[in-house]
Amino acid sequence: RAVFYKPGRLEWGTGKVLETEAPCIVTLVSSPQGIRLHVADPTQTLRELHLAVAGSAVCVKLPTDGEAGKTVEVTLHIY
């Protein structure tokens, strides 16, 4: 689990990197099916969040209005 107060970078495992362009909360789990992310926007202002995960660009659509700030789950089929 990582909390980014500003855009940042996190290295995990062997040579794997998570980069974010905005403040966010990310839980990351590697599995045989790929990488599962749980992402939330604590500012409740973003419509989407751009990440780079293990070299792959990812755009996560985030909830808005009354749902803003809720967690979104995304599974990436990268290993």
Side-chain angles (χ1 to χ4, degrees):
R1 183 173 300 167
V3 177
F4 293 92
Y5 293 93
K6 59 183 181 179
R9 174 184 170 102
L10 171 71
E11 293 185 34
W12 90 95
T14 305
K16 293 182 182 174
V17 176
L18 166 69
E19 293 180 277
T20 178
E21 295 182 349
C24 62
I25 300 170
V26 179
T27 301
L28 184 141
V29 178
S30 293
S31 72
Q33 292 77 33
I35 297 173
R36 190 174 64 225
L37 301 173
H38 291 98
V39 180
D41 167 25
T43 70
Q44 300 181 11
T45 60
L46 301 174
R47 292 187 167 286
E48 57 187 30
L49 180 64
H50 297 273
L51 304 168
V53 181
S56 296
V58 180
C59 179
V60 179
K61 301 290 184 196
L62 297 170
T64 57
D65 301 321
E67 301 289 307
K70 289 194 174 184
T71 301
V72 175
E73 182 178 329
V74 178
T75 299
L76 308 174
H77 298 285
I78 56 177
Y79 310 92

